Amino acid sequence: MSVPLSGLLSPLLDWIEALPEDARIDALNQIRKALHTLSPFQDQPIDCVLWIKSTQLQENNYNPNVMAAAERKLLVHSLIHDGYTQPVVATPHKENTLNLVDGAHRFRAGKKDKTLAARLRGYMPVVLLNREATDRDANIASTVRHNRARGKHEIPAMSSLIQELSRHGWDDAYIAEELGMEAEEVLRLKQTAGLKEMFADRHFSQAWTVD
């Protein structure tokens, strides 16, 4: 005979409610993780949103996405009135820390704005990317993919990222595929850099000569 779901949940809810706040948040995170393993949507990061202390998240130093002052003000206004409808995105790092891949502006707003900081209690809604690779190259690609779908990048900053990925052995085709660019766009960003080594993998015909 099956036990009604309410009968199973009632003692669990009573136990969770009696916990101190930090312990309650930790318990809820553990329950979400456990439910996530049973979910038919476990391959989707959004299926498991965790509340992580902001101090465990570290920003990257390569994000080329910028936001004007008016847009930042609007973001804070939206977060105050609508709440966090999108978690930040992160990957595991080391020593119980996470690398921030997407959501830097939401992250900063939640820490700096007094109203948001009070509501969030020092925490941030986070989803973790489902992958084993958490190196800088993979994180750069994820950040760019997230940003390009909705924002604008500064050309010099994007050019610098293309340089870095090229130096790490990414060829033009792979950069274009991973960052959602056209091949010509990658080439233009390399040209912006103006560095000879950026074109080391390309073959050019001999220059014209005049008899």
Side-chain angles (χ1 to χ4, degrees), residues 42-105:
Q42 62 182 258
D43 60 330
Q44 300 298 320
I46 195 65
D47 187 63
C48 185
V49 179
L50 305 174
W51 286 94
I52 306 295
K53 286 189 175 181
S54 298
T55 53
Q56 291 180 239
L57 289 160
Q58 57 180 24
E59 288 194 63
N60 61 64
N61 59 3
Y62 56 76
N63 192 351
N65 200 32
V66 295
M67 182 176 284
E71 293 174 329
R72 286 198 301 272
K73 184 177 180 180
L74 179 60
L75 173 63
V76 172
H77 178 80
S78 173
L79 292 173
I80 290 175
H81 288 272
D82 300 326
Y84 273 73
T85 59
Q86 296 181 54
V88 303
V89 182
T91 57
H93 184 48
K94 57 184 179 181
E95 298 177 356
N96 203 32
T97 61
L98 302 172
N99 281 320
L100 192 62
V101 169
D102 181 66
H105 299 297

Side-chain angles (χ1 to χ4, degrees), residues 86-158:
Q86 296 181 54
V88 303
V89 182
T91 57
H93 184 48
K94 57 184 179 181
E95 298 177 356
N96 203 32
T97 61
L98 302 172
N99 281 320
L100 192 62
V101 169
D102 181 66
H105 299 297
R106 298 191 296 281
F107 174 70
R108 294 172 197 158
K111 290 184 64 178
K112 295 180 179 180
D113 182 81
K114 293 181 179 179
T115 300
L116 292 174
R119 291 180 182 177
L120 295 175
R121 296 173 167 82
Y123 286 83
M124 192 65 53
V126 179
V127 296
L128 298 175
L129 293 183
N130 296 329
R131 68 172 183 227
E132 295 181 2
T134 58
D135 56 273
R136 181 179 170 87
D137 290 357
N139 285 344
I140 286 176
S142 290
T143 296
V144 173
R145 283 194 294 263
H146 278 81
N147 286 347
R148 282 174 60 82
R150 62 175 181 270
K152 295 181 179 179
H153 289 162
E154 289 185 316
I155 297 301
M158 277 300 298

